[in-house]
Each structure stands twice: as C-alpha cells, then as structure tokens.
Amino acid sequence: MEHYERLSKIGEGASGVVYKARDRRTGETVAVKRLHVGDGEYSLSEETFLREVRCLEACRAHPSLVDLRAAHHGPDDAGAFLVMEYVGPSLAQVMREDRAGRPLAEAEARRVMRQLLEGARSMHELGVLHRDIKPDNVLVDNRGDVKICDFGLSRTTDTAADGAPYTSGVVTLWYRAPELILGSRDYDAGIDTWALGCIMAELLAGAPLFRGRSEMDQLNKVFDTVGMKDMKSWPGFARLPRAESALCNRSRPPSRLREMFPALSAAGFDVLSGLLACRPDSRLTAADALRCPWFAEAAAPEAMPDQPLAPCGAFFTASVAGVAKAIVA
C-alpha cells in the first residue's frame, strides 16, 4: 500500500473506511477501502474481504459497476485493502445535500434508472446479489454517469449450492424488500430490484418513499402504500417466519402508489409499480424492466451538456433551453 498516497477520508461503514488516494506510480486518483480487522473478528473480516473481492472481480468492466483495481490482504496488523476506481460523490449526497430534496424530472430519473438497471442486470446474469443497493452505494461521476459500489454484503449465488440458506439481515432498512422483513432466507435478485424501485421513487419524490423506524414499522409503511395484493397467495408466504404477524392479517387499502406519483407517465408507472411489486415472484427483474416501453419513450437519448462542475459537486445542470437533462458531480 506504499504505492498510494492518502488524500482524504470519503466515508465509513460497518465493513471499513474508504479514502480518496493517489497512485504514486500513475498519478491516478483512486478509492482505497480498508476493511476493519482485528479485535477478535479477523476471520469474519477475512471472509467478508474474500467474498467482496470475488464479487467485484466477477463484475469488472461494466460501466455501471465500480471497477476493482487491486486487492491486498496483509498480516493481521496490516489489514485488508481494496483499491477501486474513484468516481465521485454518492447519489445520497447529491439528492439530499446538493439538491436539498428537490425531485428529478422524469427524463432525468429515467437516465439514472437505465444505468442502474443495466448494472443490476449484469450483476444478476453473473450470479451476484448486491444485497445493499441504496443511494449511498451509488456514485455519480463528472460526466453524469452512475455506478453501483460497495459490495461488502454481496455474495455469488453459486455459494448457495451447498444448501446453506442466505441471511435475511441484509439491505439497509428503507430499501429492504418485504420478504426480507418477513424473514425469508430463500430469496433471489428481486431484493435488489425492490431496492431499485425505492431509489426510483426517491428520485421522483425527492425523499425516501418508506422511512420506517423499525422493521415492523417499515413493513407497515410498505403495505399501506403498495397494498398486499396477491401477497398471501404467493406460494412461499405461509412459510415465512413472520407470516402470522398481525401486520400481515390487517385489512389494507388498494395501492396508493399511483396517487403519490400523478405526474409520472403510464409507462414510467409500469416500471415503478413493477419494481415495487410486494409479491417477489411478480416483481420485475432488471432485464424485464429494461424491456419496458418507458426506456424507449424518449425521442432522443438524454444527452448530457458539456458544462464545468459547479461548486460543492452540484448535481444537475440545466440545458440552454432550461430543461435539466444531466447529472454532473
């Protein structure tokens, strides 16, 4: 790691600390993630490190997924490091700080969602579940492109070949699919597409759609918003550990999703409601979502104007006509 000069701290999560750094050999700016090791948890961190490396290597070279440059696992006191491309601020920073909660126009949201879904489709085709997609784990570069990052909770589906169940304790609460809250340990890529539906709603509303204070509060908010249509007829529902919860047996109104997004086009709503289908076997896959008419709706590609960066990483800039067309960071 002597080849990298630490410049500044970018962020810190449960699995490690991320720094902005410079490669002394090439001058390239990179992101270096140091995983937490020691304190009696070394073996767990080592397993997490190896799993994250495996998932990042599987997803290399896709424009919507962060690229791994190098990985290093030293002695116990040296730690474990991942060197990745440096992209820019997170989508969460941009939406909640630079835009101060102002929603995106539909064309802007479509541009972001196209890239996120393309990244997710590639991940899933490669047999990788991200298991923590959220705005904090989406980065925005200076050309307006977005990339999914932080594969610390990811795993490859072939690791389940031994029959060991997945853990249900994944995905940050506000973006956690209902089957996870109900205790499912037999889930699939639908947990990632649910999270992408939550991000789509957040882009269009300017704020997270489901802001639960606990798992049960989160589930209640989900059911009150999208209803429970056909949920109980889902073949796996009765086997879920929390299927008998009072929340699952309460009378619910029909979905209120449409009235919450009245300006969204019919094609756009088909994508949103398909990603936020409560019943996982009815939920859109990333590949199916990309085939929806919404992504063919624009008369021309949502091209990004070539403009300099604004102070503080401002997110959207307006075109000459005054219509916001792009994301910059």
Side-chain angles (χ1 to χ4, degrees), residues 21-272:
R22 184 180 65 85
D23 188 329
R24 291 189 172 99
R25 298 161 297 182
T26 65
E28 180 188 18
T29 300
V30 295
V32 176
K33 180 177 180 179
R34 178 171 185 167
L35 276 74
H36 296 310
V37 295
D39 299 326
E41 298 180 344
Y42 180 73
S43 60
L44 176 62
S45 294
E46 182 178 27
E47 179 184 346
T48 301
F49 169 77
L50 293 172
R51 186 169 63 194
E52 186 167 0
V53 169
R54 185 180 184 189
C55 291
L56 281 165
E57 286 184 334
C59 296
R60 262 181 165 158
H62 192 281
S64 296
L65 303 173
V66 72
D67 193 42
L68 178 69
R69 296 282 196 265
H72 174 72
H73 198 303
D76 292 12
D77 59 349
F81 298 86
L82 297 173
V83 181
M84 295 162 286
E85 65 174 321
Y86 176 76
V87 181
S90 72
L91 186 60
Q93 286 177 275
V94 166
M95 289 298 295
R96 297 169 197 173
E97 296 174 17
D98 294 346
R99 285 191 60 82
R102 296 190 304 276
L104 276 64
E106 185 170 338
E108 296 167 333
R110 176 169 50 219
R111 183 178 189 274
V112 175
M113 290 305 301
R114 188 198 309 273
Q115 293 183 32
L116 292 179
L117 286 163
E118 286 172 347
R121 176 178 61 183
S122 178
M123 271 194 307
H124 297 158
E125 288 175 349
L126 292 165
V128 174
L129 303 182
H130 188 280
R131 305 201 303 179
D132 199 21
I133 296 179
K134 58 183 177 179
D136 295 278
N137 289 340
V138 174
L139 303 176
V140 186
D141 72 11
N142 61 2
R143 295 166 303 186
D145 295 322
V146 294
K147 294 175 182 278
I148 298 170
C149 69
D150 197 344
F151 285 67
L153 285 179
S154 300
R155 69 176 292 173
T156 53
T157 54
D158 62 1
T159 58
D162 58 3
Y166 295 134
T167 176
S168 59
V170 293
V171 189
T172 298
L173 183 60
W174 290 357
Y175 306 90
R176 191 176 301 166
E179 62 267 29
L180 289 175
I181 301 176
L182 289 167
S184 174
R185 302 187 69 185
D186 182 25
Y187 50 81
D188 57 19
I191 67 166
D192 285 345
T193 55
W194 173 274
L196 290 172
C198 293
I199 290 177
M200 180 176 171
E202 187 167 342
L203 294 174
L204 293 165
L209 182 60
F210 309 117
R211 292 185 276 186
R213 294 164 293 180
S214 66
E215 283 197 318
M216 290 297 97
D217 185 46
Q218 181 76 6
L219 191 62
N220 193 48
K221 285 178 165 54
V222 167
F223 287 160
D224 276 349
T225 301
V226 302
M228 283 189 70
K229 183 180 179 182
D230 298 329
M231 186 70 174
K232 290 187 177 181
S233 62
W234 169 40
F237 181 81
R239 297 192 299 272
L240 296 175
R242 291 176 169 171
E244 297 303 316
S245 165
L247 289 179
C248 298
N249 294 289
R250 183 183 302 173
S251 177
R252 301 282 177 177
S255 173
R256 298 189 300 114
L257 203 57
R258 191 26 146 171
E259 66 187 69
M260 296 173 73
F261 296 92
L264 183 60
S265 68
F269 184 74
D270 285 345
V271 175
L272 180 63

Side-chain angles (χ1 to χ4, degrees), residues 285-296:
T285 66
D288 288 341
L290 286 165
R291 286 192 286 267
C292 289
W294 193 48
F295 292 106

